[in-house]
Amino acid sequence: MRVPLSWLREYVDLPATETGRDVQAKLISAGLEVETVEHLGADLKGPLVVGQVLTIEELEGFKKPIRFCTVDVGQANGTGEPQEIVCGARNFSVGDKVVVVLPGATLPGGFSISARKTYGKTSHGMICSSDELGMGDDGTHGIIVLPPETEVGKDAIELLELVDEVLDIAVTANRGDCLSIRGVARETAIAYGLPLRDPALLDVPGPNAYGYPVKVSDPAGCDRFTARTVTGLSPEARSPIWLQRRLQKVGMRPISLAVDVTNYVMMELGQPLHAYDRHQVQGTIGVRRAQEGEKIVTLDGVERKLHAEDLVITDDRGPIGLAGVMGGADTEIADHDPSEEGAGATTDVIIEAAHFDQVSVARTARRHKLSSEASRRFERGVDPQAAAAAAQRTVDLLVLLAGGTAEVGVTEVVAPGAPHTITLAADHPDKVAGVTYGRETVVRRLQEVGCDVYGQDELIVTVPSWRPDLTDPNDLAEEVIRLEGYENLPSTLPRPPAGRGLTARQRLHRRIGRALAGAGYVEALNYPFVSEQVFDQLGLEADDPARRVVKLANPLSDEEPALRTSLLPGLLAALRRNDGRGSHDLALFETGLVFQPRDAAEVAANLPVDRRPSLDDIAALNAALPDQPRHVAVVLAGAREQAGWWGKGRPADWADAVEAARTVAREAGADLRMRKGQYGPWHPGRCAELTVTVDGAERVVGHAGELHPRVLKTLGLPARACAMELDLDVLERVGDTVPQAPSISTFPVATQDVALVVDAFVPAADVEAALREGAGELLESIRLFDVYENAEQLGEGRKSLAYALRFRADDRTLTVDEASAARETAVALAADRTGAVLRG
């Protein structure tokens, strides 16, 4: 909501020294979100005056039409002589009153004006358009043509109200009253402790039998409908400058007098209105639900098929408007066309000021994707008591500005209803805020909002009609607190119970995050939503369990209606996005939940709100939720080690993805084993299957390696990209996170190397496991340091694996015989299990 400070001052006597920034601070303190204060005309400098066009000479020989004009600007130029100006616009004629900026002036944007030679003539100034003056769109897209009665030489800065401050307020969904100057003025008056001149306090005649006939068939959808008629509007009447400027400042475009007046009153009072051409309305105006299949052409020229829940305005022909959203083209106000001597112009109008159900309006606007200024207000709540005053204000302005006559008939259809009352303990705001306000403060603040308050210890509060958001005692408590100042509430740091902190699971996740960050990975946080097509792109089998997804009933995007079963889609999308923006050396990681549907779907019961849910209630709720294990994943592309003066770089490869898995396993204290695997998006020859032992059985917990070239091409990823994903919950279950102090021996180490020849298909991990088991307790560490393949020396389909074995005893220096015996035992077990033989 844009609020000009000059308009606001009409209803609140703000001190003359108060600026827009001062008002912004006050309103923010009162709970309104004033985003910006726009200073209109801050860099505008005169002379800017009204001129009258005396002559126009068409200049020939140029690519576009150019006119050389003489303009009478009175004594504004110091000589009284006509001002010579070159102009390219064509929407003005000799005798028109225009806005002229003279040499020495500065226009918005710091554009300085001086006499200059152009198109073979010297131009002493400019004839201005609304855009050049920063006024916004006036619908003409050309030079400003002023009313004929405007005085020549008059200061145009003052005439057009070009200097002002405009507050831009982000109105929340519960404060529909602040979508009007009236509502913001009320908040301003309260903030400053000043009286409010309420523009809705008008003398309004009561309903009578002479008004235009109206029939409301759905009082739940429309509980109030006021109709007034004005006849004899002058076809030539135009909106005065002050009205046009106020509409422009609040962000609306002037259209025609009747439409401008209804928009002006809507911005002033917050009550949407609609004006019908009386001669185009046939019979009784009705309010009802649409019949399925009915159609209407709205004012934007679009034919819309109506839904049975749409609330519509009708006449004897059918729908003529979407209630609270937009009127129909059949009864549109017709503007005067000067070239047709007033033919077709609307002279008689019916003014509609109604109150529609906010839920119905909201659904209709969303169903037809048709948001309007009216629907925005009805959705957030409109004062039903303001309808009659808004209609009267509209009638008064049409009579004043268009020379119309207000007919005596007044139609007002009102559904029975009573004001909303709330019982409130006088000390309830004190308990909510933790501050002692006292009864007098509570009553005073509620009365400032507009409530009627009665009672002593227990208050009976009648809520004002313009605040439908006040429905219970806590709402009233919030009003007291915000007006007393949120900044005055005491702040108390919570005290956690002694001995509590992060859970073991939380500590593990943090350690893993720090370890991966230390290894050069950058954390990426992705949305948990995916499309089901991504599983085809990842190359998953048709019966893969990862294809079973939890679908959202109301997804943010129809393209991603499911919850993820893997972290890879989000991470790979982040990799592609960053690579496309020029970051080619990437290492990303993410820890987060994945979602797996349960075999037996259950429906969650509604939890009680009057008490804490029981343990059984919470257990039943959790049972209805999908399984949500936490995973960790990494993706890599480009260089893993950069080249420089220190040597050659190294590209990321499958081994880096495997090492990331080892890093995670070390932090979890889990014994992670690896073997050759093949799954989904990974390259079948460069994929490691990651397993752990759970309850005596081996379980696959993830995969690591290089991604398949087909997947890289489908997803648009860099060549040789790698990835790893692990189930963290399983690692946590089997891991031992108790810190183990290192064992430090004072005795020397004995190193024995062994090279074993095995079949090429035998995994190195199986050979290592056999060596480790056979070496016994004396083995301190084992490391594979060479893999050699040569058919001439080793034979076809054979390879050599060279390991360094380190032996050490805690209580003595090992002899050569002891180390050799351990080595031989290890080799024997490896030979028995894998068919390995000593090389050489």
Side-chain angles (χ1 to χ4, degrees):
M1 176 67 191
R2 290 171 57 86
V3 180
L5 191 59
S6 59
W7 199 350
L8 193 63
R9 289 182 182 275
E10 281 199 8
Y11 310 127
V12 184
D13 289 329
L14 294 172
T17 57
E18 288 294 286
T19 65
R21 295 290 184 190
D22 299 329
V23 177
Q24 177 189 31
K26 286 283 189 179
L27 292 180
I28 289 176
S29 178
L32 295 185
E33 186 179 348
V34 185
E35 293 185 326
T36 60
V37 177
E38 183 179 351
H39 297 270
L40 302 182
D43 52 355
L44 178 64
K45 176 185 174 184
L48 188 71
V49 299
V50 176
Q52 184 173 20
V53 180
L54 300 178
T55 65
I56 298 177
E57 176 188 351
E58 301 288 345
L59 301 182
E60 305 293 339
F62 300 103
K63 293 182 179 180
K64 61 179 181 179
I66 299 296
R67 311 167 94 185
F68 180 65
C69 310
T70 59
V71 185
D72 178 14
V73 294
Q75 296 299 318
N77 58 4
T79 64
E81 295 294 325
Q83 201 79 3
E84 296 179 340
I85 298 174
V86 176
C87 183
R90 308 191 65 79
N91 68 313
F92 64 96
S93 307
V94 172
D96 283 345
K97 302 289 181 65
V98 294
V99 178
V100 179
V101 57
L102 301 177
T106 302
L107 295 183
F111 182 59
S112 298
I113 302 299
S114 61
R116 66 189 183 96
K117 190 170 184 179
T118 179
Y119 297 103
K121 301 284 186 177
T122 301
S123 181
H124 299 271
M126 283 176 53
I127 302 176
C128 297
S129 68
S130 59
D131 286 339
E132 290 165 339
L133 297 179
M135 295 170 57
D137 185 12
D138 63 355
T140 64
H141 303 291
I143 295 302
I144 301 171
V145 178
L146 300 171
E149 64 273 12
T150 310
E151 179 185 351
V152 172
K154 184 178 179 62
D155 183 2
I157 295 178
E158 178 183 350
L159 175 69
L160 299 177
E161 302 177 14
L162 297 179
V163 178
D164 202 350
E165 292 181 277
V166 179
L167 285 70
D168 193 352
I169 304 175
V171 179
T172 54
N174 65 319
R175 292 303 305 272
D177 61 305
C178 288
L179 284 174
S180 66
I181 304 297
R182 178 196 185 201
V184 177
R186 182 182 295 109
E187 291 294 319
T188 305
I190 296 173
Y192 278 91
L194 297 171
L196 169 70
R197 288 189 293 275
D198 192 342
L201 295 180
L202 302 174
D203 291 330
V204 179
N208 54 51
Y210 307 106
Y212 197 90
V214 173
K215 180 182 179 181
V216 178
S217 302
D218 191 337
C222 176
D223 58 7
R224 184 178 294 266
F225 195 106
T226 300
R228 300 288 300 275
T229 304
V230 181
T231 60
L233 301 181
S234 172
E236 292 80 15
R238 292 290 175 266
S239 301
I241 292 174
W242 64 266
L243 192 150
Q244 293 187 45
R245 288 296 295 132
R246 286 193 170 179
L247 289 178
Q248 288 174 329
K249 288 177 185 179
V250 298
M252 302 190 76
R253 179 172 65 87
I255 298 173
S256 64
L257 178 58
V259 176
D260 292 349
V261 167
T262 58
N263 285 336
Y264 177 85
V265 176
M266 175 180 67
M267 303 307 296
E268 181 180 56
L269 301 182
Q271 168 67 53
L273 301 111
H274 189 69
Y276 301 94
D277 188 327
R278 182 175 181 177
H279 298 296
Q280 300 299 325
V281 178
Q282 300 179 11
T284 301
I285 292 178
V287 183
R288 62 169 171 83
R289 298 289 171 175
Q291 298 174 7
E292 196 68 43
E294 280 188 311
K295 296 181 179 180
I296 184 177
V297 178
T298 46
L299 288 173
D300 56 359
V302 178
E303 183 180 77
R304 303 181 186 276
K305 186 176 180 180
L306 300 178
H307 189 275
E309 291 185 4
D310 290 336
L311 193 66
V312 293
I313 311 298
T314 65
D315 64 3
D316 291 350
R317 296 167 296 178
I320 60 173
L322 282 173
V325 181
M326 184 174 287
D330 289 343
T331 57
E332 181 180 5
I333 298 294
D335 200 6
H336 167 59
D337 186 349
S339 65
E340 298 184 11
E341 298 296 332
T346 298
T347 57
D348 301 339
V349 297
I350 301 171
I351 306 300
E352 166 209 305
H355 184 260
F356 301 112
D357 175 60
Q358 60 190 86
V359 174
S360 176
V361 172
R363 288 178 176 172
T364 297
R366 283 157 179 74
R367 188 179 298 118
H368 295 283
K369 297 180 181 178
L370 185 61
S371 179
S372 64
E373 291 289 345
S375 67
R376 287 183 62 223
R377 283 160 176 78
F378 279 121
E379 289 172 16
R380 289 161 175 78
V382 169
D383 181 5
Q385 302 293 334
Q392 182 63 46
R393 177 74 165 138
T394 305
V395 169
D396 292 343
L397 287 173
L398 289 176
V399 171
L400 175 66
L401 302 177
T405 301
E407 290 196 351
V408 296
V410 177
T411 302
E412 192 164 349
V413 180
V414 182
H420 180 57
T421 60
I422 302 172
T423 301
L424 173 74
D427 61 348
H428 182 67
D430 301 4
K431 295 178 180 178
V432 173
V435 176
T436 303
Y437 293 123
R439 179 188 176 281
E440 291 185 2
T441 299
V442 171
V443 171
R444 175 172 57 84
R445 288 303 190 184
L446 293 179
Q447 288 175 339
E448 288 177 345
V449 171
C451 299
D452 291 329
V453 186
Y454 303 95
Q456 292 299 319
D457 293 338
E458 187 174 80
L459 305 177
I460 306 300
V461 182
T462 301
V463 175
S465 59
W466 56 82
R467 291 299 303 274
D469 58 306
L470 303 181
T471 60
D472 57 58
N474 283 333
D475 293 331
L476 300 179
E478 182 181 2
E479 292 299 296
V480 175
I481 295 169
R482 76 175 181 88
L483 294 180
E484 283 295 305
Y486 291 121
E487 68 277 9
N488 297 322
L489 293 178
S491 59
T492 305
L493 291 175
R495 291 186 178 181
R500 295 187 183 181
L502 298 177
T503 65
R505 187 185 193 198
Q506 290 170 330
R507 289 196 295 270
L508 172 61
H509 296 161
R510 291 195 179 188
R511 286 203 311 273
I512 289 173
R514 285 194 291 266
L516 290 175
Y521 291 86
V522 176
E523 186 171 14
L525 302 177
N526 298 296
Y527 288 116
F529 313 117
V530 296
S531 66
E532 293 183 86
Q533 288 74 24
V534 75
F535 302 121
D536 295 328
Q537 297 170 338
L538 292 177
L540 300 186
E541 298 292 337
D543 58 349
D544 194 296
R547 285 182 175 270
R548 294 184 62 235
V549 296
V550 177
K551 290 189 176 180
L552 299 171
N554 187 23
L556 294 179
S557 170
D558 293 336
E559 296 179 357
E560 295 180 329
L563 292 174
R564 65 189 178 191
T565 56
S566 166
L567 300 182
L568 287 184
L571 271 179
L572 293 176
L575 182 72
R576 179 179 62 247
R577 186 164 52 250
N578 283 275
D579 181 71
R581 294 175 179 175
S583 298
H584 304 301
D585 303 326
L586 296 162
L588 308 177
F589 84 93
E590 181 179 9
T591 60
L593 301 180
V594 298
F595 304 85
Q596 300 167 349
R598 298 180 187 270
D599 294 332
E602 298 184 21
V603 178
N606 292 327
L607 295 180
V609 296
D610 58 340
R611 57 181 173 81
R612 186 186 186 278
S614 66
L615 295 179
D616 291 339
D617 292 333
I618 297 175
L621 178 63
N622 288 332
L625 297 176
D627 289 327
Q628 301 176 51
R630 184 175 291 271
H631 282 201
V632 59
V634 306
V635 294
L636 305 100
R640 186 65 175 138
E641 295 177 2
Q642 296 292 336
W645 58 265
W646 51 84
K648 294 182 179 180
R650 181 179 66 82
D653 60 15
W654 62 269
D656 294 300
V658 172
E659 182 57 29
R662 288 196 177 101
T663 299
V664 172
R666 281 195 296 271
E667 293 298 327
D671 182 15
L672 187 68
R673 292 181 294 278
M674 297 155 196
R675 64 189 181 205
K676 181 179 179 181
Q678 181 175 346
Y679 177 71
W682 280 277
H683 193 298
R686 298 170 187 150
C687 173
E689 189 174 72
L690 311 174
T691 66
V692 295
T693 300
V694 182
D695 298 330
E698 191 175 56
R699 177 171 172 180
V700 177
V701 293
H703 295 83
E706 184 178 315
L707 295 175
H708 198 289
R710 184 173 58 250
V711 173
L712 300 179
K713 182 178 180 181
T714 303
L715 295 177
L717 298 172
R720 310 302 292 269
C722 304
M724 178 278 292
E725 184 166 13
L726 277 173
D727 188 329
L728 264 185
D729 284 358
V730 178
L731 288 184
E732 180 185 6
R733 177 180 171 186
V734 302
D736 182 7
T737 57
V738 177
Q740 299 292 330
S743 176
I744 301 174
S745 175
T746 60
F747 298 96
V749 66
T751 301
Q752 296 273 353
D753 293 344
V754 59
L756 302 176
V757 178
V758 296
D759 291 332
F761 62 82
V762 176
D766 291 351
V767 178
E768 179 181 325
L771 290 173
R772 187 184 299 276
E773 183 178 342
E777 296 180 355
L778 294 179
L779 182 67
E780 182 180 78
S781 67
I782 180 171
R783 180 175 62 87
L784 175 66
F785 65 85
D786 184 55
V787 178
Y788 178 70
E789 295 182 11
N790 188 311
E792 293 182 2
Q793 296 184 17
L794 304 178
E796 191 69 33
R798 304 280 282 176
K799 64 182 178 182
S800 171
L801 303 176
Y803 294 89
L805 287 74
R806 293 166 57 90
F807 298 96
R808 195 195 308 261
D810 293 335
D811 56 351
R812 67 188 188 281
T813 299
L814 291 178
T815 65
V816 174
D817 293 340
E818 288 177 309
S820 298
R823 171 181 177 273
E824 292 170 0
T825 304
V827 170
L829 186 58
D832 181 58
R833 290 188 177 177
T834 66
V837 296
L838 281 171
R839 181 180 171 187

